[in-house]
Amino acid sequence: KLVPVITITVEPGKTVYEVGDVVTITAHVEGDVSAPVNVTVNGVPVVNGGTYTINYNGTFIVEASVEANSTHGRGYNNTTFVAVKKASAITSVVVDPASVIVGNNVTVTVTMDGISSGDVVVEIAGVNYTVPVNNGVASLSVELPVGDYVAHAYYAENAMYNKSDVSDSNAFHVTDKLVPVITITVEPGKTVYE
C-alpha cells in the first residue's frame, strides 16, 4: 500500500518563538489521499491549518498522521519548534520630581511591556512596595525622609516573561526644609534707649 508523505509547516518560519506568539500549523498530505490528517502539538489535538497560541516556554513537538485504510498505509511525520520567555516586562522606571522637599511625595512610574494587569515591586532604600499595574503602568506616590535614593522595579517571573530588575538611572533627592533666617532691627539703632 501507498504510505502517505506528510509535510508540516509552522508559520511564520522562525528559529525561535516567544511565549505569546501565535503560529499557524499546516500538515499537507502528498498524493491522492482522502483521509483526514490528525495534528497534535505536544499531544494536544489542533485544527490542521489553524492557529496555535504558545502559552509557555520549551520545545514543542508537532505530529501529523493519517490512519491506514483500504487504499493506503499509515502516514506519519513530526517536527519541533522552540519557544522562550520574553526578555523583560519592564521598559522604564521614572521618578518625578528628581528633587523634592521633605514632606512632599515623589512619584515612581514603571512602564510594562505587554502586561496590562498584575503587580510590580518597587524598592526604595530597602523597602518594598507592591504596586498594581493598570493598562501597562504602575504608579507609586510615596513620602520619604531626607536622603538620596534610587528606585528599583522588580517583576517576578511568570509563564510569559523572565524576571526583571530595572532601576531609574538617576538618583533622586529629598532635601530638608529651608530654615528661615530672621533678622530683627530696632530703629533708631541705639544700644540704650531712654
Side-chain angles (χ1 to χ4, degrees):
K1 288 183 181 179
L2 170 72
V3 176
V5 176
I6 304 172
T7 56
I8 301 172
T9 57
V10 179
E11 295 292 335
K14 295 181 180 178
T15 306
V16 177
Y17 295 89
E18 288 187 336
V19 176
D21 284 351
V22 177
V23 296
T24 300
I25 298 170
T26 305
H28 174 72
V29 181
E30 296 179 16
D32 187 20
V33 176
S34 59
V37 181
N38 302 308
V39 181
T40 63
V41 177
N42 286 353
V44 178
V46 298
V47 175
N48 187 20
T51 59
Y52 178 82
T53 302
I54 301 169
N55 291 321
Y56 55 92
N57 65 312
T59 300
F60 292 78
I61 302 170
V62 180
E63 296 179 286
S65 63
V66 174
E67 294 307 317
N69 64 20
S70 60
T71 62
H72 59 77
R74 183 176 188 273
Y76 174 84
N77 196 4
N78 69 58
T79 189
T80 60
F81 64 89
V82 175
V84 296
K85 293 181 182 183
K86 294 178 185 282
S88 177
I90 300 172
T91 56
S92 68
V93 178
V94 177
V95 179
D96 185 52
S99 183
V100 67
I101 294 173
V102 70
N104 294 296
N105 287 1
V106 295
T107 300
V108 180
T109 303
V110 180
T111 304
M112 310 291 286
D113 176 31
I115 294 178
S116 58
S117 62
D119 292 322
V120 66
V121 174
V122 175
E123 183 265 322
I124 302 171
V127 178
N128 290 336
Y129 304 88
T130 300
V131 186
V133 177
N134 294 306
N135 296 320
V137 176
S139 184
L140 169 69
S141 183
V142 63
E143 181 181 330
L144 298 165
V146 173
D148 296 327
Y149 300 94
V150 175
H152 293 271
Y154 300 93
Y155 185 77
E157 183 175 29
N158 65 16
M160 185 172 282
Y161 289 96
N162 285 315
K163 62 184 178 180
S164 302
D165 172 8
V166 178
S167 63
D168 180 27
S169 57
N170 300 309
F172 64 97
H173 316 282
V174 178
T175 58
D176 210 348
K177 292 180 179 179
L178 178 66
V179 178
V181 176
I182 301 172
T183 305
I184 301 173
T185 57
V186 178
E187 294 294 336
K190 297 181 182 180
T191 52
V192 178
Y193 292 89
E194 293 180 352

